[in-house]
Amino acid sequence: MKDLTILKPDDWHLHLREGIVLKNIIKFSSEFFGRAIVMPNTKNPITSINKCISYKKSISEGLPENSKFEPLMTIYLTDETIKDELIEGFKNDVFFAAKLYPANATTNSSQGVKKIENLYEIFEVMEELGMPLLIHGEVTDPKVDIFDREVVFIDKELLPLIQRFPKLKIVLEHITTSYAVSFVQENNLGATITPHHLHINRNAMFFGGLNSDFYCLPVAKRENNRIALRKAATSGKKCFFLGTDSAPHLRQWKAFCGCAGIFNSPVAIESYIQVFDEEDSLDQFEKFASLNGPNFYNLPVNKEKIRLVSKSNEIPKFIEVIDNNKVVGQIKPFHAGEILNWQVEGIVN
Ligand code: DOR
Ligand code: ZN
């Protein structure tokens, strides 16, 4: 039996949702992650200090007793974002970072940014403040093929942005292409990589019939991209760090409308370490999971450690959503019904 003890990891990209779903799923992140950057694309997006404070309060209330988990909150940028609100929120530790969704790029992004140039004044202050900009890097032009949206975004939107704001601290989120892997390294950006983009290529969405379980945005790409992502994540390079993009959708909705998002927080650590094991890179796992993120964000690393052991780990087919002792829904986790080779054994001090 193999085992590995690493500093407690953080999740640098997470969707916690609201209400009953939040209450049911937060334990999967708070148990073995120290911190998480919480995405602001709630139904009514987190566009102001007040909304952010009340969202953070509901997250804290949903945490198990005595949990030390720390949610790091973000502001959802729109064409109407008020500069002073952003500055005040950042200076008072309400906002840890700002999230840029191109309008209609993904779930709950209709109020996102219509024209990136409209935010230049905002980026100028963020650059001065050292406030991180987290980017969903896809264009939304319907003429651009869905599999090319990340690459076109990099060329048309990201490159001009970094040329104009060279000191802006940027994270290209959930990268999916070898093109992004190279661009991030060449331009001193940070990038999160999800477990699902390390495991699946675009065939997964079409295997055994149209399968929305593997539909997420950006969509998984060709196999050569998955290989490039696995190489990047397991390289230990400082610019690549863990961000699950765990995005739960109730089964009834996912099956009905095929919403984009893969719920991986119940299996994320095990899913990632399996990749590092397969790539013979277990010695690089702590960098990716627990060191590179804090280093990028200038935060201390977590004090506690977790121990992982290689043993057969059967993943449940569904996670139940419970309200007032009644099952009100189900969410399918990533790797549902599969057997993974690793398990988190627990926290060690
Ligand atoms: O697949 C995704 N789901 N990608 C995103 O960018 C958003 C997320 C969600 O909120 O469901
Ligand atoms: Zn996301």
Side-chain angles (χ1 to χ4, degrees):
M1 189 177 83
K2 286 187 265 189
D3 72 287
L4 185 71
T5 298
I6 60 164
L7 286 168
K8 204 178 199 187
D10 302 293
D11 185 349
W12 301 104
H13 183 126
L14 176 65
H15 298 269
L16 280 177
R17 309 303 193 208
E18 296 158 276
I20 300 299
V21 173
L22 165 67
K23 287 199 182 102
N24 276 268
I25 61 151
I26 192 163
K27 57 177 181 283
F28 297 115
S29 297
S30 65
E31 198 175 7
F32 299 122
F33 287 105
R35 296 161 284 205
I37 295 188
V38 180
M39 290 299 124
N41 65 330
T42 41
K43 276 199 187 107
N44 182 354
I46 309 303
T47 49
S48 68
I49 291 176
N50 283 345
K51 282 185 190 174
C52 191
I53 290 172
S54 95
Y55 186 35
K56 188 171 183 178
K57 187 164 171 273
S58 64
I59 293 170
S60 302
E61 285 167 359
L63 282 170
E65 238 173 89
N66 300 324
S67 170
K68 295 182 198 148
F69 178 78
E70 191 187 346
L72 303 170
M73 308 305 291
T74 51
I75 177 172
Y76 179 114
L77 296 174
T78 72
D79 289 33
E80 283 81 43
T81 297
I82 299 161
K83 196 165 72 178
D84 291 341
E85 179 93 1
L86 178 120
I87 297 172
E88 197 191 324
F90 183 70
K91 288 197 169 159
N92 291 307
D93 286 330
V94 178
F95 305 135
F96 176 74
K99 177 73 193 254
L100 189 166
Y101 287 107
N104 302 314
T106 185
T107 310
N108 298 337
S109 63
S110 60
Q111 293 178 52
V113 174
K114 294 189 187 72
K115 207 162 171 244
I116 289 187
E117 288 82 350
N118 292 346
L119 271 84
Y120 275 180
E121 255 192 51
I122 296 282
F123 299 147
E124 212 171 285
V125 295
M126 287 179 64
E127 193 175 38
E128 264 169 48
L129 291 167
M131 181 176 187
L133 175 65
L134 317 181
I135 300 184
H136 182 110
E138 288 192 286
V139 294
T140 55
D141 180 349
K143 289 193 210 78
V144 176
D145 191 282
I146 190 156
F147 295 102
D148 297 332
R149 287 184 178 182
E150 182 172 280
V151 168
V152 175
F153 182 89
I154 290 172
D155 286 343
K156 290 222 170 126
E157 307 283 3
L158 188 54
L159 186 59
L161 184 70
I162 63 173
Q163 282 166 346
R164 190 163 180 128
F165 302 101
K167 299 220 170 76
L168 187 55
K169 205 172 176 65
I170 295 176
V171 180
L172 188 56
E173 298 287 337
H174 40 53
I175 57 171
T176 60
T177 56
S178 59
Y179 196 71
V181 166
S182 306
F183 189 86
V184 164
Q185 294 180 83
E186 284 155 20
N187 293 283
N188 269 327
L189 310 184
T192 48
I193 304 179
T194 74
H196 39 282
H197 291 114
L198 295 172
H199 279 276
I200 60 168
N201 62 30
R202 63 188 194 172
N203 291 347
M205 286 180 290
F206 309 104
F207 188 74
L210 206 51
N211 190 344
S212 67
D213 291 340
F214 299 113
Y215 175 55
C216 60
L217 286 166
V219 288
K221 307 295 193 301
R222 286 176 185 274
E223 177 64 0
N224 61 308
N225 294 289
R226 186 180 77 98
I227 292 168
L229 292 169
R230 285 170 79 103
K231 219 171 141 208
T234 58
S235 70
K237 287 185 181 158
K238 288 199 158 93
C239 51
F240 301 115
F241 36 91
L242 186 160
T244 62
D245 197 16
S246 180
H249 290 279
L250 287 176
R251 187 78 204 127
Q252 53 262 45
W253 289 108
K254 183 85 169 151
F256 174 65
C257 76
C259 343
I262 295 178
F263 177 46
N264 60 38
S265 57
V267 293
I269 298 174
E270 291 89 342
S271 178
Y272 278 121
I273 194 172
Q274 180 141 332
V275 171
F276 280 72
D277 195 5
E278 284 163 6
E279 298 291 328
D280 228 348
S281 307
L282 285 174
D283 56 333
Q284 302 298 325
F285 187 51
E286 188 179 49
K287 289 186 196 148
F288 178 76
S290 320
L291 299 176
N292 294 350
N295 179 67
F296 181 88
Y297 286 113
N298 301 318
L299 293 173
V301 297
N302 291 313
K303 290 201 178 74
E304 290 174 318
K305 292 183 175 168
I306 60 165
R307 183 163 189 266
L308 297 126
V309 291
S310 68
K311 68 171 180 201
S312 171
N313 180 3
E314 190 173 345
I315 309 305
K317 293 211 167 80
F318 289 103
I319 303 288
E320 287 181 337
V321 177
I322 294 167
D323 185 23
N324 277 328
N325 299 320
K326 268 204 246 126
V327 177
V328 292
Q330 291 181 317
I331 309 174
K332 198 168 180 180
F334 189 41
H335 297 295
E338 285 175 39
I339 295 178
L340 294 182
N341 301 333
W342 283 83
Q343 189 145 34
V344 183
E345 200 181 59
I347 311 270
V348 284
N349 285 305

